[in-house]
Amino acid sequence: MSLLEMLQKRHSIRRYTGEAIPEENLITILQAGLLSASSRSICPWELVVVKDKELLKKMSDCRAGSAKMLAGAEVAVVVIADERKSDVWIEDCSIVMSNMHLMADCLGIGSCWIQGRLRTTAQGQETEEYLRDLLGYSDNYRLEAILSLGMPQSHPARRELSDLSMNKIHWEKF
Ligand SMILES: Cc1cc2nc3c(=O)[nH]c(=O)nc-3n(C[C@H](O)[C@H](O)[C@H](O)COP(=O)(O)O)c2cc1C
């Protein structure tokens, strides 16, 4: 399958069957993240991999409502970065998230990006702080996002190239 075909097929998946993710596939997804491009090749990121069901359930409260799928996920990968190492850690970590999301899809594993940065819990605590308490990363580490992973309950339809908003593309001038 070409990369474009893969991108047409890609979707955010929030419902999982409960079937285990093969360990070698999880490692492949993490490797895809580590292969990401990074400004000045600093790679300021760290990946916290959570499989413990109790912990995943607690993590599902890291946002008011947009992280509930973590309670039914097999794995969560929390992407954090040392902000002292790079002023573009957000961009770097976004590429890590995207590469893992695509790699998961390529392996038939469902995943969803959960926004962490700039978000809060239902009680108003910063998501970053809530997860810092649970996962133990120190103050210099900033939260980017969380990738939930699980075997997909359904496979949404692929997008057709003919449906793309080609008017978003501006040639030579806006
Ligand atoms: C930066 C970013 C933040 C997102 N945050 C969340 C989130 O917190 N919770 C969630 O369920 N989905 C989240 N998503 C997934 C989007 O809702 C999803 O990509 C969008 O609805 C389009 O659906 P698709 O990915 O299936 O094409 C996020 C996606 C991105 C790129």
Side-chain angles (χ1 to χ4, degrees):
M1 196 186 294
S2 75
L3 179 58
L4 193 64
E5 286 169 324
M6 239 185 68
L7 291 167
Q8 284 179 258
K9 196 173 81 52
R10 182 213 60 81
H11 270 292
S12 299
I13 304 290
R14 300 176 180 84
R15 289 175 192 276
Y16 312 110
T17 61
E19 199 187 331
I21 295 175
E23 190 64 18
E24 65 270 25
N25 287 357
L26 176 58
I27 298 296
T28 303
I29 291 165
L30 296 168
Q31 287 171 329
L34 295 180
L35 283 167
S36 298
S38 165
S39 170
R40 291 180 284 152
S41 207
I42 290 173
C43 308
W45 53 68
E46 304 285 335
L47 311 180
V48 185
V49 184
V50 178
K51 292 180 178 180
D52 180 84
K53 295 282 182 201
E54 276 307 304
L55 195 48
L56 286 168
K57 196 160 180 323
K58 286 184 188 155
M59 286 173 64
S60 73
D61 290 328
C62 74
R63 293 277 309 280
S66 304
K68 294 298 169 213
M69 71 293 259
L70 284 172
E74 290 307 300
V75 181
V77 184
V78 182
V79 179
I80 57 174
D82 187 341
E83 66 174 343
R84 301 171 307 187
K85 286 187 179 167
S86 173
D87 58 350
V88 291
W89 63 270
I90 297 167
E91 288 84 347
D92 285 352
C93 287
S94 296
I95 299 172
V96 172
M97 284 292 294
S98 186
N99 283 349
M100 292 194 298
H101 178 49
L102 282 173
M103 189 72 242
D105 188 82
C106 189
L107 294 167
I109 294 163
S111 68
C112 187
W113 181 314
I114 299 164
Q115 184 67 22
R117 211 173 62 80
L118 307 177
R119 296 291 181 267
T120 61
T121 65
Q123 290 72 34
Q125 185 183 16
E126 281 181 14
T127 299
E128 179 175 83
E129 294 307 317
Y130 180 85
L131 291 181
R132 192 188 305 284
D133 289 345
L134 280 182
L135 305 175
Y137 48 86
S138 52
D139 286 348
N140 50 304
Y141 285 103
R142 304 300 311 279
L143 172 66
E144 163 75 4
I146 306 128
L147 191 73
S148 65
L149 290 159
M151 299 311 286
Q153 261 191 28
S154 61
H155 298 271
R158 71 170 213 161
R159 274 165 295 210
E160 298 304 327
L161 296 181
S162 54
D163 292 336
L164 291 180
S165 306
M166 295 300 281
N167 60 354
K168 292 263 187 204
I169 301 169
H170 309 276
W171 298 91
E172 315 299 350
K173 267 189 162 186
F174 185 79

